[in-house]
CSV table of all heavy atoms in Angstrom, one decimal:
chain,number,residue,atom,x,y,z
A,164,GLU,N,-39.0,86.1,-128.3
A,164,GLU,CA,-37.8,86.9,-128.9
A,164,GLU,C,-37.1,87.7,-127.9
A,164,GLU,O,-35.9,87.9,-127.9
A,164,GLU,CB,-38.4,87.8,-130.0
A,164,GLU,CG,-38.9,87.0,-131.2
A,164,GLU,CD,-39.6,87.9,-132.2
A,164,GLU,OE1,-40.1,89.0,-131.9
A,164,GLU,OE2,-39.8,87.4,-133.4
A,165,ALA,N,-37.9,88.2,-126.9
A,165,ALA,CA,-37.2,89.0,-125.8
A,165,ALA,C,-36.3,88.2,-125.0
A,165,ALA,O,-35.1,88.6,-124.7
A,165,ALA,CB,-38.3,89.6,-124.9
A,166,ILE,N,-36.7,86.9,-124.6
A,166,ILE,CA,-35.8,86.0,-123.9
A,166,ILE,C,-34.6,85.7,-124.7
A,166,ILE,O,-33.5,85.6,-124.1
A,166,ILE,CB,-36.7,84.8,-123.5
A,166,ILE,CG1,-37.7,85.2,-122.4
A,166,ILE,CG2,-35.7,83.7,-122.9
A,166,ILE,CD1,-38.7,84.1,-122.1
A,167,GLN,N,-34.8,85.4,-125.9
A,167,GLN,CA,-33.6,85.1,-126.8
A,167,GLN,C,-32.6,86.3,-126.8
A,167,GLN,O,-31.4,86.0,-127.0
A,167,GLN,CB,-34.1,84.7,-128.2
A,167,GLN,CG,-34.9,83.4,-128.3
A,167,GLN,CD,-35.5,83.1,-129.7
A,167,GLN,OE1,-35.3,83.9,-130.6
A,167,GLN,NE2,-36.4,82.2,-129.6
A,168,ALA,N,-33.2,87.4,-126.7
A,168,ALA,CA,-32.2,88.6,-126.7
A,168,ALA,C,-31.7,89.0,-125.4
A,168,ALA,O,-31.0,90.0,-125.2
A,168,ALA,CB,-33.0,89.8,-127.3
A,169,GLY,N,-32.1,88.1,-124.4
A,169,GLY,CA,-31.5,88.4,-123.0
A,169,GLY,C,-32.4,89.1,-122.1
A,169,GLY,O,-31.9,89.5,-121.0
A,170,ALA,N,-33.8,89.0,-122.2
A,170,ALA,CA,-34.7,89.7,-121.4
A,170,ALA,C,-34.7,88.9,-120.0
A,170,ALA,O,-34.3,87.7,-119.9
A,170,ALA,CB,-36.1,89.6,-121.9
A,171,GLY,N,-35.2,89.5,-119.0
A,171,GLY,CA,-35.1,88.9,-117.6
A,171,GLY,C,-36.4,88.1,-117.4
A,171,GLY,O,-37.2,87.7,-118.3
A,172,TYR,N,-36.5,87.7,-116.1
A,172,TYR,CA,-37.6,86.8,-115.7
A,172,TYR,C,-39.0,87.3,-116.0
A,172,TYR,O,-39.9,86.5,-116.1
A,172,TYR,CB,-37.4,86.4,-114.2
A,172,TYR,CG,-37.8,87.6,-113.3
A,172,TYR,CD1,-39.1,87.7,-112.8
A,172,TYR,CD2,-36.9,88.6,-113.1
A,172,TYR,CE1,-39.4,88.8,-112.0
A,172,TYR,CE2,-37.2,89.7,-112.2
A,172,TYR,CZ,-38.5,89.8,-111.7
A,172,TYR,OH,-38.8,90.8,-110.9
A,173,GLU,N,-39.1,88.6,-116.1
A,173,GLU,CA,-40.4,89.2,-116.3
A,173,GLU,C,-41.1,88.7,-117.6
A,173,GLU,O,-42.3,88.6,-117.7
A,173,GLU,CB,-40.3,90.8,-116.4
A,173,GLU,CG,-39.9,91.4,-115.2
A,173,GLU,CD,-38.4,91.7,-115.1
A,173,GLU,OE1,-37.7,91.1,-115.9
A,173,GLU,OE2,-38.0,92.6,-114.4
A,174,ALA,N,-40.2,88.4,-118.6
A,174,ALA,CA,-40.7,87.9,-119.9
A,174,ALA,C,-41.3,86.4,-119.7
A,174,ALA,O,-42.4,86.1,-120.3
A,174,ALA,CB,-39.6,87.8,-121.0
A,175,ASP,N,-40.7,85.6,-118.8
A,175,ASP,CA,-41.2,84.4,-118.5
A,175,ASP,C,-42.6,84.5,-117.8
A,175,ASP,O,-43.5,83.7,-117.9
A,175,ASP,CB,-40.2,83.5,-117.7
A,175,ASP,CG,-39.2,82.8,-118.4
A,175,ASP,OD1,-39.6,82.2,-119.5
A,175,ASP,OD2,-38.1,82.7,-118.1
A,176,ILE,N,-42.7,85.5,-116.8
A,176,ILE,CA,-43.9,85.7,-116.2
A,176,ILE,C,-45.0,86.0,-117.2
A,176,ILE,O,-46.2,85.6,-117.2
A,176,ILE,CB,-43.8,86.8,-115.1
A,176,ILE,CG1,-42.9,86.4,-114.0
A,176,ILE,CG2,-45.3,87.1,-114.5
A,176,ILE,CD1,-42.7,87.5,-112.9
A,177,GLY,N,-44.7,86.9,-118.2
A,177,GLY,CA,-45.5,87.3,-119.2
A,177,GLY,C,-46.0,86.1,-120.0
A,177,GLY,O,-47.2,86.0,-120.3
A,178,ILE,N,-45.1,85.2,-120.4
A,178,ILE,CA,-45.5,84.0,-121.1
A,178,ILE,C,-46.4,83.2,-120.3
A,178,ILE,O,-47.5,82.6,-120.8
A,178,ILE,CB,-44.2,83.1,-121.5
A,178,ILE,CG1,-43.4,83.8,-122.6
A,178,ILE,CG2,-44.6,81.7,-122.0
A,178,ILE,CD1,-42.1,83.2,-122.8
A,179,GLY,N,-46.2,83.0,-118.9
A,179,GLY,CA,-47.0,82.2,-118.1
A,179,GLY,C,-48.4,82.7,-118.0
A,179,GLY,O,-49.4,82.0,-118.2
A,180,LEU,N,-48.5,84.0,-117.9
A,180,LEU,CA,-49.9,84.6,-117.8
A,180,LEU,C,-50.7,84.5,-119.1
A,180,LEU,O,-51.8,84.3,-119.2
A,180,LEU,CB,-49.8,86.1,-117.3
A,180,LEU,CG,-49.2,86.3,-115.9
A,180,LEU,CD1,-49.1,87.8,-115.6
A,180,LEU,CD2,-50.1,85.5,-114.9
A,181,VAL,N,-49.9,84.7,-120.3
A,181,VAL,CA,-50.6,84.6,-121.6
A,181,VAL,C,-51.0,83.1,-121.8
A,181,VAL,O,-52.1,82.8,-122.3
A,181,VAL,CB,-49.6,85.0,-122.7
A,181,VAL,CG1,-50.3,84.7,-124.1
A,181,VAL,CG2,-49.4,86.5,-122.6
A,182,LYS,N,-50.2,82.2,-121.4
A,182,LYS,CA,-50.5,80.7,-121.7
A,182,LYS,C,-51.7,80.4,-120.8
A,182,LYS,O,-52.6,79.5,-121.2
A,182,LYS,CB,-49.3,79.8,-121.4
A,182,LYS,CG,-48.3,79.8,-122.5
A,182,LYS,CD,-47.2,78.8,-122.2
A,182,LYS,CE,-46.2,78.8,-123.4
A,182,LYS,NZ,-46.8,78.1,-124.6
A,183,GLU,N,-51.8,81.0,-119.6
A,183,GLU,CA,-53.0,80.8,-118.8
A,183,GLU,C,-54.2,81.2,-119.4
A,183,GLU,O,-55.2,80.5,-119.5
A,183,GLU,CB,-52.8,81.4,-117.4
A,183,GLU,CG,-54.1,81.3,-116.5
A,183,GLU,CD,-54.0,82.1,-115.3
A,183,GLU,OE1,-53.1,83.0,-115.1
A,183,GLU,OE2,-54.9,81.9,-114.4
A,184,LYS,N,-54.1,82.4,-120.1
A,184,LYS,CA,-55.3,82.9,-120.9
A,184,LYS,C,-55.7,82.0,-122.0
A,184,LYS,O,-56.9,81.9,-122.4
A,184,LYS,CB,-55.0,84.3,-121.3
A,184,LYS,CG,-55.0,85.3,-120.3
A,184,LYS,CD,-54.7,86.8,-120.9
A,184,LYS,CE,-54.7,87.8,-119.8
A,184,LYS,NZ,-54.6,89.2,-120.5
A,185,MET,N,-54.6,81.3,-122.5
A,185,MET,CA,-54.9,80.4,-123.7
A,185,MET,C,-55.4,79.1,-123.2
A,185,MET,O,-55.6,78.2,-124.1
A,185,MET,CB,-53.5,80.3,-124.5
A,185,MET,CG,-53.1,81.6,-125.1
A,185,MET,SD,-51.4,81.4,-125.7
A,185,MET,CE,-51.7,80.7,-127.4
A,186,GLY,N,-55.5,78.9,-122.0
A,186,GLY,CA,-56.0,77.5,-121.5
A,186,GLY,C,-54.9,76.5,-121.3
A,186,GLY,O,-55.2,75.4,-121.1
A,187,ASP,N,-53.7,76.9,-121.4
A,187,ASP,CA,-52.5,76.0,-121.3
A,187,ASP,C,-51.9,76.1,-120.0
A,187,ASP,O,-50.9,76.7,-119.7
A,187,ASP,CB,-51.4,76.3,-122.4
A,187,ASP,CG,-50.3,75.4,-122.4
A,187,ASP,OD1,-50.2,74.5,-121.6
A,187,ASP,OD2,-49.3,75.6,-123.1
A,188,LYS,N,-52.5,75.5,-118.9
A,188,LYS,CA,-52.1,75.5,-117.6
A,188,LYS,C,-50.7,75.0,-117.4
A,188,LYS,O,-49.8,75.5,-116.7
A,188,LYS,CB,-53.0,74.8,-116.7
A,188,LYS,CG,-52.7,74.9,-115.2
A,188,LYS,CD,-53.7,74.2,-114.3
A,188,LYS,CE,-53.2,74.2,-112.8
A,188,LYS,NZ,-54.2,73.6,-111.9
A,189,ASN,N,-50.5,73.8,-118.0
A,189,ASN,CA,-49.1,73.2,-117.8
A,189,ASN,C,-48.0,74.1,-118.4
A,189,ASN,O,-47.0,74.3,-117.8
A,189,ASN,CB,-49.0,71.9,-118.6
A,189,ASN,CG,-49.9,70.7,-117.8
A,189,ASN,OD1,-50.1,70.9,-116.7
A,189,ASN,ND2,-50.3,69.7,-118.6
A,190,GLY,N,-48.3,74.7,-119.6
A,190,GLY,CA,-47.3,75.6,-120.1
A,190,GLY,C,-47.1,76.9,-119.3
A,190,GLY,O,-46.0,77.4,-119.1
A,191,ALA,N,-48.2,77.3,-118.6
A,191,ALA,CA,-48.2,78.5,-117.8
A,191,ALA,C,-47.3,78.2,-116.5
A,191,ALA,O,-46.5,79.0,-116.2
A,191,ALA,CB,-49.6,78.9,-117.4
A,192,VAL,N,-47.6,77.0,-115.9
A,192,VAL,CA,-46.8,76.6,-114.7
A,192,VAL,C,-45.3,76.5,-115.1
A,192,VAL,O,-44.5,76.9,-114.3
A,192,VAL,CB,-47.3,75.3,-114.2
A,192,VAL,CG1,-46.4,74.8,-113.1
A,192,VAL,CG2,-48.7,75.6,-113.5
A,193,ALA,N,-45.0,75.9,-116.2
A,193,ALA,CA,-43.6,75.7,-116.6
A,193,ALA,C,-42.9,77.1,-116.8
A,193,ALA,O,-41.8,77.3,-116.3
A,193,ALA,CB,-43.5,74.9,-117.9
A,194,ALA,N,-43.6,78.1,-117.4
A,194,ALA,CA,-43.0,79.3,-117.6
A,194,ALA,C,-42.8,80.1,-116.3
A,194,ALA,O,-41.8,80.8,-116.0
A,194,ALA,CB,-43.8,80.2,-118.5
A,195,LEU,N,-43.8,79.9,-115.4
A,195,LEU,CA,-43.6,80.7,-114.1
A,195,LEU,C,-42.6,79.9,-113.2
A,195,LEU,O,-41.9,80.6,-112.5
A,195,LEU,CB,-45.0,80.6,-113.4
A,195,LEU,CG,-46.0,81.5,-114.0
A,195,LEU,CD1,-47.4,81.3,-113.5
A,195,LEU,CD2,-45.7,83.0,-113.8
A,196,GLU,N,-42.4,78.6,-113.3
A,196,GLU,CA,-41.3,78.0,-112.6
A,196,GLU,C,-40.0,78.4,-113.1
A,196,GLU,O,-39.0,78.6,-112.3
A,196,GLU,CB,-41.5,76.4,-112.9
A,196,GLU,CG,-42.5,75.8,-112.1
A,196,GLU,CD,-42.7,74.3,-112.3
A,196,GLU,OE1,-42.2,73.9,-113.5
A,196,GLU,OE2,-43.3,73.6,-111.5
A,197,ARG,N,-39.9,78.7,-114.4
A,197,ARG,CA,-38.6,79.3,-114.9
A,197,ARG,C,-38.3,80.6,-114.4
A,197,ARG,O,-37.3,81.0,-114.0
A,197,ARG,CB,-38.7,79.4,-116.5
A,197,ARG,CG,-38.5,78.0,-117.2
A,197,ARG,CD,-38.3,78.2,-118.7
A,197,ARG,NE,-39.3,79.1,-119.3
A,197,ARG,CZ,-40.3,78.7,-119.9
A,197,ARG,NH1,-40.6,77.3,-119.9
A,197,ARG,NH2,-41.1,79.5,-120.6
A,198,ALA,N,-39.4,81.5,-114.3
A,198,ALA,CA,-39.3,82.8,-113.8
A,198,ALA,C,-38.9,82.8,-112.3
A,198,ALA,O,-38.0,83.5,-111.9
A,198,ALA,CB,-40.6,83.6,-113.9
A,199,ALA,N,-39.5,81.9,-111.5
A,199,ALA,CA,-39.1,81.8,-110.0
A,199,ALA,C,-37.7,81.3,-109.9
A,199,ALA,O,-37.0,81.7,-108.9
A,199,ALA,CB,-40.1,80.8,-109.3
A,200,ALA,N,-37.3,80.4,-110.8
A,200,ALA,CA,-35.9,79.9,-110.6
A,200,ALA,C,-34.9,81.0,-111.1
A,200,ALA,O,-33.9,81.1,-110.4
A,200,ALA,CB,-35.7,78.6,-111.6
A,201,ARG,N,-35.3,81.8,-112.0
A,201,ARG,CA,-34.4,82.8,-112.5
A,201,ARG,C,-34.3,83.9,-111.5
A,201,ARG,O,-33.3,84.6,-111.4
A,201,ARG,CB,-34.8,83.4,-113.8
A,201,ARG,CG,-34.6,82.4,-115.0
A,201,ARG,CD,-35.3,82.9,-116.3
A,201,ARG,NE,-34.4,83.9,-116.8
A,201,ARG,CZ,-34.9,84.7,-117.9
A,201,ARG,NH1,-36.0,84.4,-118.5
A,201,ARG,NH2,-34.0,85.7,-118.4
A,202,GLU,N,-35.4,84.2,-110.9
A,202,GLU,CA,-35.4,85.3,-109.8
A,202,GLU,C,-36.2,84.9,-108.6
A,202,GLU,O,-37.4,85.1,-108.6
A,202,GLU,CB,-35.9,86.6,-110.4
A,202,GLU,CG,-35.9,87.8,-109.5
A,202,GLU,CD,-34.6,87.9,-108.7
A,202,GLU,OE1,-33.7,88.5,-109.3
A,202,GLU,OE2,-34.5,87.4,-107.6
A,203,PRO,N,-35.5,84.3,-107.7
A,203,PRO,CA,-36.3,83.8,-106.5
A,203,PRO,C,-36.9,84.8,-105.6
A,203,PRO,O,-37.8,84.7,-104.9
A,203,PRO,CB,-35.2,83.1,-105.6
A,203,PRO,CG,-34.1,82.7,-106.7
A,203,PRO,CD,-34.1,83.8,-107.6
A,204,GLY,N,-36.4,86.2,-105.8
A,204,GLY,CA,-37.0,87.3,-105.1
A,204,GLY,C,-38.2,87.9,-105.8
A,204,GLY,O,-38.7,89.0,-105.3
A,205,SER,N,-38.7,87.3,-106.8
A,205,SER,CA,-39.9,87.8,-107.5
A,205,SER,C,-41.3,87.4,-106.8
A,205,SER,O,-41.6,86.2,-106.8
A,205,SER,CB,-40.0,87.4,-108.9
A,205,SER,OG,-41.2,87.7,-109.5
A,206,CYS,N,-41.9,88.4,-106.2
A,206,CYS,CA,-43.2,88.0,-105.5
A,206,CYS,C,-44.2,87.6,-106.6
A,206,CYS,O,-45.1,86.7,-106.3
A,206,CYS,CB,-43.7,89.2,-104.7
A,206,CYS,SG,-44.1,90.7,-105.6
A,207,LEU,N,-44.2,88.3,-107.8
A,207,LEU,CA,-45.1,87.9,-108.9
A,207,LEU,C,-45.0,86.4,-109.3
A,207,LEU,O,-45.9,85.8,-109.5
A,207,LEU,CB,-44.9,88.8,-110.0
A,207,LEU,CG,-45.4,90.3,-109.9
A,207,LEU,CD1,-45.2,91.1,-111.1
A,207,LEU,CD2,-47.0,90.2,-109.7
A,208,ALA,N,-43.8,86.0,-109.5
A,208,ALA,CA,-43.5,84.7,-110.0
A,208,ALA,C,-44.0,83.7,-109.0
A,208,ALA,O,-44.8,82.7,-109.3
A,208,ALA,CB,-42.0,84.4,-110.2
A,209,HIS,N,-43.7,83.9,-107.7
A,209,HIS,CA,-44.2,83.0,-106.7
A,209,HIS,C,-45.7,83.0,-106.5
A,209,HIS,O,-46.4,81.9,-106.4
A,209,HIS,CB,-43.6,83.3,-105.3
A,209,HIS,CG,-42.1,83.0,-105.3
A,209,HIS,ND1,-41.6,81.8,-105.5
A,209,HIS,CD2,-41.0,83.8,-105.1
A,209,HIS,CE1,-40.3,81.7,-105.4
A,209,HIS,NE2,-39.9,83.0,-105.1
A,210,MET,N,-46.3,84.2,-106.5
A,210,MET,CA,-47.8,84.3,-106.3
A,210,MET,C,-48.5,83.6,-107.5
A,210,MET,O,-49.4,82.8,-107.3
A,210,MET,CB,-48.1,85.7,-106.2
A,210,MET,CG,-49.6,85.9,-105.7
A,210,MET,SD,-50.9,85.8,-107.0
A,210,MET,CE,-50.8,87.4,-107.7
A,211,HIS,N,-48.1,83.9,-108.7
A,211,HIS,CA,-48.9,83.3,-109.8
A,211,HIS,C,-48.6,81.8,-109.9
A,211,HIS,O,-49.6,81.1,-110.3
A,211,HIS,CB,-48.5,84.0,-111.1
A,211,HIS,CG,-49.1,85.4,-111.3
A,211,HIS,ND1,-50.4,85.6,-111.2
A,211,HIS,CD2,-48.6,86.6,-111.5
A,211,HIS,CE1,-50.7,86.8,-111.4
A,211,HIS,NE2,-49.6,87.5,-111.5
A,212,LEU,N,-47.4,81.3,-109.6
A,212,LEU,CA,-47.2,80.0,-109.6
A,212,LEU,C,-48.0,79.2,-108.6
A,212,LEU,O,-48.6,78.3,-108.9
A,212,LEU,CB,-45.7,79.7,-109.4
A,212,LEU,CG,-45.2,78.3,-109.5
A,212,LEU,CD1,-45.5,77.6,-110.8
A,212,LEU,CD2,-43.6,78.3,-109.3
A,213,GLY,N,-48.0,79.8,-107.4
A,213,GLY,CA,-48.9,79.2,-106.3
A,213,GLY,C,-50.3,79.2,-106.7
A,213,GLY,O,-51.0,78.2,-106.4
A,214,ARG,N,-50.7,80.3,-107.3
A,214,ARG,CA,-52.2,80.4,-107.6
A,214,ARG,C,-52.5,79.3,-108.7
A,214,ARG,O,-53.7,78.8,-108.6
A,214,ARG,CB,-52.4,81.8,-108.2
A,214,ARG,CG,-53.9,82.1,-108.6
A,214,ARG,CD,-54.0,83.5,-109.1
A,214,ARG,NE,-53.1,83.8,-110.2
A,214,ARG,CZ,-53.3,83.4,-111.5
A,214,ARG,NH1,-54.3,82.6,-111.8
A,214,ARG,NH2,-52.4,83.7,-112.4
Side-chain angles (χ1 to χ4, degrees):
E164 291 172 344
I166 290 171
Q167 291 168 15
Y172 71 95
E173 298 95 337
D175 275 320
I176 297 179
I178 289 174
L180 295 178
V181 172
K182 284 187 177 289
E183 180 188 6
K184 288 182 178 180
M185 298 171 80
D187 182 3
K188 180 179 177 179
N189 290 336
V192 168
L195 291 164
E196 286 176 338
R197 289 195 302 270
R201 292 174 71 186
E202 182 46 83
S205 169
C206 64
L207 284 177
H209 290 300
M210 191 277 281
H211 285 303
L212 182 55
R214 178 180 58 77

